[in-house]
Amino acid sequence: MENPTNCLEYLKSKTQVDVDSLDIRGVFQIVSAELGPFVDCTSNQADAYNELLNPRHADLLKKTAALANEIKAHYHHVNYEELAMELSMLSLAMPIVPKITGCILIMVNSFYSYSTPMIIENAQRLHRLCKYLDPEFDTSRLIVKVPSTWEGMQACRKLKSFNIKTLATTAFSVEQCILAAEAGCVYVSPFLNELKAGFDPSYHDPDPIFDIIVEAQRYYEQHSYSTRVKACAAVNVEQILQLAGVHAFTAPADQLRELSTMEQSTTKLVQRSRFKEQLTKEPAKEQATEHANGNTDVNMNGHINGHINGESTENVTETETDKLNFIDDESKFRLAFGRADDGKAQLKTTQALSLFADYQRKAEAMMRDNDMTKIGA
């Protein structure tokens, strides 16, 4: 009889496991010490806002407010609130770097999702702000998260020439994944479920994008792209285990802890994975320790044309497929993306960016409330 395997350790042997948390003194510290180290630490405006609500960050808010007022004259195109928000996010994330082997990931302002120049400026500013906070900080360990819009990916294309690493976030279609690879993103993050499902416990996404995640990784490997698939937004650990074998997966601390308490036979774990063909062909790979270098041990050929044509590819035979090009053809991309999953991919992307924008607005209001130059005025 086959001995059971710890589910988290199994996942880490097949997939780079990242943690989604900015709570360095609490959940992250505990989970990292018990179950880590992990590779990357991701975050977004919702993570930052919810973490900054903790009273223990009162001093951090005062310091970032003072610094924002001190340096805002150098940033003519950004207001105090936005600058303070960015300083606060970085102040939460940068101390996590010594506790991981890879990078921290910080998201640009979602209000810029459809402006290439503003995204470029935002990404460059995040790099400069790191140096204000810590002149010794290694900015190669910062990856900027950029929305998977046409404008966002054109920004990533330019940012690569500045040696700024990017991740394409809020991806819900193969088309977005292809565009991200063409733009030179280090990672693309397909959201397995609608972002709404992560904020509203009563909502259930009827159509998680398992197939798109699998097909994107196959396409990258077939055409030798260095971009890696970093899946996210699972609503439970069962969904995570179904993606064992994906290049990387980001999960919150509670899901990682739950996986660490589960055991199952390796045979059953392989069979439940959407990457089971890969897992049965190849020996287990070690969790990545070199981060964002564009290399991967996965070697999968696949058939992607079904998704491009709006059809399921779940049962197709793996074959060679033509390399597609979107990066130089805006009309072609917009048409293909608009048709993806009968328009659902575009709707999900818009919904996700709107939710992140809501938290950006809430966080900026918090920064306004902590502006000592205005209090009592």
Side-chain angles (χ1 to χ4, degrees):
M1 185 175 179
E2 187 177 359
N3 291 326
T5 299
N6 180 274
C7 290
L8 179 60
E9 291 307 311
Y10 173 80
L11 182 67
K12 290 169 72 174
S13 75
K14 307 299 181 184
T15 290
Q16 174 182 304
V17 177
D18 303 322
V19 62
D20 188 8
S21 175
L22 287 175
D23 183 12
I24 187 171
R25 297 186 194 175
V27 173
F28 180 89
Q29 186 173 17
I30 296 170
V31 171
S32 180
E34 293 177 356
L35 310 176
F38 297 102
V39 181
D40 291 343
C41 182
T42 70
S43 63
N44 54 54
Q45 281 82 355
D47 294 328
Y49 173 75
N50 288 323
E51 180 61 23
L52 289 168
L53 287 174
N54 193 312
R56 72 165 176 254
H57 295 305
D59 286 342
L60 182 152
L61 287 170
K62 290 178 182 178
K63 290 178 182 177
T64 54
L67 181 56
N69 277 310
E70 178 185 337
I71 67 176
K72 66 181 179 181
H74 301 292
Y75 297 95
H76 303 293
H77 302 297
V78 60
N79 60 30
Y80 154 80
E81 290 85 0
E82 185 178 355
L83 195 58
M85 167 58 174
E86 291 170 1
L87 286 166
S88 296
M89 284 197 299
L90 290 168
S91 296
L92 289 172
M94 288 168 61
I96 290 174
V97 169
K99 300 181 180 297
I100 57 176
T101 62
C103 298
I104 53 172
L105 289 91
I106 302 293
M107 187 173 175
V108 300
N109 189 334
S110 335
F111 283 103
Y112 301 151
S113 298
Y114 301 98
S115 172
T116 297
M118 295 298 284
I119 291 172
I120 293 171
E121 181 181 324
N122 196 169
Q124 292 176 312
R125 185 169 61 249
L126 287 171
H127 271 245
R128 289 193 293 269
L129 293 178
C130 285
K131 293 299 186 179
Y132 274 113
L133 292 167
D134 180 2
E136 302 301 317
F137 182 74
D138 179 5
T139 52
S140 71
R141 297 189 71 181
L142 169 65
I143 297 177
V144 180
K145 297 172 64 174
V146 176
S148 296
T149 59
W150 169 262
E151 294 82 1
M153 294 305 95
Q154 295 302 318
C156 291
R157 188 183 198 182
K158 185 66 174 178
L159 289 167
K160 185 178 180 182
S161 69
F162 299 146
N163 294 317
I164 293 178
K165 297 175 183 176
T166 59
L167 172 147
T169 189
T170 61
F172 292 93
S173 70
V174 173
E175 290 81 1
Q176 290 167 295
C177 295
I178 293 173
L179 188 63
E182 291 183 287
C185 295
V186 173
Y187 289 115
V188 64
S189 275
F191 281 38
L192 178 58
N193 295 279
E194 292 178 58
L195 185 59
K196 179 181 177 181
F199 289 87
D200 181 358
S202 67
Y203 180 75
H204 171 73
D205 185 347
D207 189 25
I209 61 167
F210 286 105
D211 289 352
I212 288 170
I213 292 170
V214 173
E215 293 304 322
Q217 182 160 311
R218 286 176 177 168
Y219 184 86
Y220 287 177
E221 294 305 321
Q222 180 179 333
H223 295 291
S224 301
Y225 279 114
S226 61
T227 304
R228 305 179 75 210
V229 177
K230 188 194 288 286
C232 65
V235 295
N236 54 52
V237 295
E238 168 58 30
Q239 288 188 338
I240 296 176
L241 290 173
Q242 287 187 58
L243 288 174
V246 71
H247 293 149
F249 199 97
T250 300
D254 59 334
Q255 290 180 345
L256 295 174
R257 184 179 283 115
E258 183 177 353
L259 284 167
S260 74
T261 66
M262 297 168 57
E263 290 188 340
Q264 195 164 100
S265 70
T266 299
T267 299
K268 288 184 178 179
L269 288 168
V270 170
Q271 288 303 310
R272 77 201 298 177
S273 173
R274 302 294 179 117
F275 291 91
K276 60 179 174 244
E277 186 167 343
Q278 166 206 331
L279 297 177
T280 54
K281 283 182 180 177
E282 298 182 354
K285 69 173 184 175
E286 304 251 337
Q287 178 178 347
T289 55
E290 292 296 327
H291 177 75
N293 58 11
N295 295 325
T296 177
D297 295 325
V298 183
N299 181 19
M300 300 179 69
N301 292 323
H303 184 283
I304 202 166
N305 293 331
H307 273 307
I308 295 298
N309 293 326
E311 304 164 2
S312 173
T313 60
E314 184 174 2
N315 297 312
V316 300
T317 303
E318 293 184 1
T319 61
E320 290 292 320
T321 186
D322 292 337
K323 188 174 184 179
L324 301 173
N325 178 276
F326 290 123
I327 196 71
D328 294 313
D329 194 334
E330 180 177 355
S331 178
K332 179 180 177 182
F333 170 75
R334 291 194 186 279
L335 180 61
F337 176 44
R339 295 176 59 196
D341 198 13
D342 295 325
K344 292 178 185 176
Q346 191 170 45
L347 181 63
K348 290 179 179 181
T349 300
T350 303
Q351 176 200 79
L353 294 175
S354 179
L355 280 168
F356 284 137
D358 286 343
Y359 278 94
Q360 176 76 28
R361 187 182 294 108
K362 290 179 182 179
E364 288 186 16
M366 182 189 296
M367 300 304 116
R368 194 176 306 116
D369 292 341
N370 282 275
D371 184 358
M372 302 304 295
T373 66
K374 300 290 174 55
I375 295 175

